[in-house]
Amino acid sequence: MSHVFPRHCHAQLPTAVGGDGCYLIDSTGKRYFDASGGAAVSCLGHSNERVRQAIKDQVDRLAFAHTGFFTSDPAEELADLLIANAPEGIERVYFVSGGSEAVEAAIKLARQYYLEVGQPERRHLIARRQSYHGNTLGALAAGGNAWRRAQFDPLLIGVSHIAPCYEYAERVEGESLADYGRRAADELEAEILRLGADTVMAFIAEPVVGATLGAVPAVEGYFARIREICDKYGVLLILDEVMCGMGRTGHLFACTGEGVRPDIVTIAKGLGAGYQPVGAMLCSGAIYDAIASGSGFFQHGHTYIGHPVATAAGLAVVREMLEHDLPARVRALEPVMEQALRKAFGQHPNVGDIRGRGLFWGVELVADRDGKVPFDPAKGVAGKLKKAAMAQGLICYPMPGTRDGRNGDHVLLAPPFVMAEEDAGLIAQRLAAALEDVLR
């Protein structure tokens, strides 16, 4: 009998014992193509020698030094490398151990910034429906997925949620993409004015929405308008790139593809590529300077922030990405992945939408393609698809509740950047076989 407290008490999971490139191997020897990178994590695959060696070397030198007493070479070098490649104005890096921690740090920094500059009335955070920002209480409050929030709602801080930029389901007939993007973005201005323009501290959004919507990019012009609104009312723009950043959508920072400048940006997942738990919150020089010239102390912190072994792994990962120009490779693989998915599912009666960017793709499943009608949640399509895909030797990331936290199903794909072109066909083929098993 296992004494591990699992994610689901009644799940019978295979035991992973090895990793080989894009594959995970269980204790029976079965190989699974990791088409979702776990949860968009394993961007370099499972056997990158450079990263493995960096971890071993760092453990031999120094395993741990608390950041209340010391800094460390790998943390300093990784921060320098990230800032050298960060969006305009981003000048400081605060290391954490994962995405939820990065978002918590971002929210708290936004609040403290306004205290430091003498605007204590700024306390409201605005986010979007069907967003996902993590599972700690602050990050969960920011997230807009009703199903994830429901049982913890009495414990959550109040956060306003406006519409996502979800063109497939929310653009009305006859509305141009530009008009739709403007309408969706203008909800932010309306909410700022409703709350009181001098009381809003920040707006948080994913440049490409990950887990809860399934790789949904904004329409062109949406984020430019968001930035304009934030600037107009003195609201900080926090971009959550925990899932879509670090090369996943074809740029080291996903906001580069949107041409938008954040005040704060969060990263994780691909930063450590699964080799170590590491994330970061990056902020503008203006925000850092307000703290430095004020109290001089960001009132936040965890024991393992800036961990030498974790930052050594992150440093090796980012060097691997930059020296081999893996974001460019991701951009080159984007049409290959799209073509494979459209060939397999473009005319499928139960596939409503195929969307994504780089190596970050979503396939939305529907009961009625013409009417965009989702499956009855009681059918449990997403859960069944996950099992069927595993049987086919494919790891993917199906999720229910795509439309509103209850209705809708999609599958998220986020394969390693080191995949071969022919692997796109393998992914589509195995996913098609799994979907056929579920729907027969």
Side-chain angles (χ1 to χ4, degrees), residues 111 144 388:
R111 170 60 180 165

Side-chain angles (χ1 to χ4, degrees), residues 93-111:
V93 183
Y94 187 95
F95 290 113
V96 294
S97 297
S100 295
E101 282 187 30
V103 171
E104 292 282 338
I107 294 169
K108 292 174 78 172
L109 181 62
R111 170 60 180 165

Side-chain angles (χ1 to χ4, degrees), residues 120-198:
E121 66 279 4
R122 289 193 182 266
R123 63 193 184 276
H124 290 300
L125 177 66
I126 302 174
R128 301 190 297 184
R129 298 193 307 273
Q130 288 306 94
S131 58
Y132 180 69
H133 298 294
N135 258 334
T136 50
L137 289 177
L140 188 63
N145 183 277
W147 174 77
R148 294 177 188 265
R149 292 166 51 95
Q151 62 183 331
F152 305 108
D153 195 65
L155 308 178
L156 302 181
I157 61 171
V159 176
S160 298
H161 291 90
I162 63 172
C165 191
Y166 180 19
E167 182 265 333
Y168 169 69
E170 300 199 1
R171 179 165 66 103
V172 299
E173 187 176 352
E175 187 177 30
S176 71
L177 287 174
D179 286 346
Y180 167 67
R182 177 74 181 225
R183 175 168 65 85
D186 281 349
E187 284 203 22
L188 174 59
E189 183 170 39
E191 186 62 11
I192 289 171
L193 293 174
R194 187 188 74 81
L195 292 168
D198 59 351

Side-chain angles (χ1 to χ4, degrees), residues 70-82:
F70 297 95
T71 187
S72 68
D73 287 338
E76 294 289 344
E77 291 176 34
L78 178 55
D80 288 346
L81 188 58
L82 288 171

Side-chain angles (χ1 to χ4, degrees), residues 233-279:
Y233 296 100
V235 172
L236 297 179
L237 176 58
I238 303 172
L239 293 182
D240 179 354
E241 299 196 4
V242 167
M243 188 170 260
C244 64
M246 290 294 97
R248 174 58 58 191
T249 55
H251 300 276
L252 194 66
F253 289 89
C255 58
T256 302
E258 300 290 345
V260 66
R261 172 189 54 81
D263 299 295
I264 300 173
V265 59
T266 61
I267 56 175
K269 295 188 186 290
L271 178 61
Y275 290 88
Q276 285 285 289
V278 63

Side-chain angles (χ1 to χ4, degrees), residues 43-63:
C43 54
L44 299 184
H46 298 279
S47 53
N48 185 280
E49 184 54 36
R50 180 183 198 166
V51 183
R52 286 162 36 174
Q53 191 60 50
I55 292 168
K56 295 171 188 175
D57 291 346
Q58 184 59 44
V59 169
D60 288 342
R61 283 192 298 269
L62 171 69

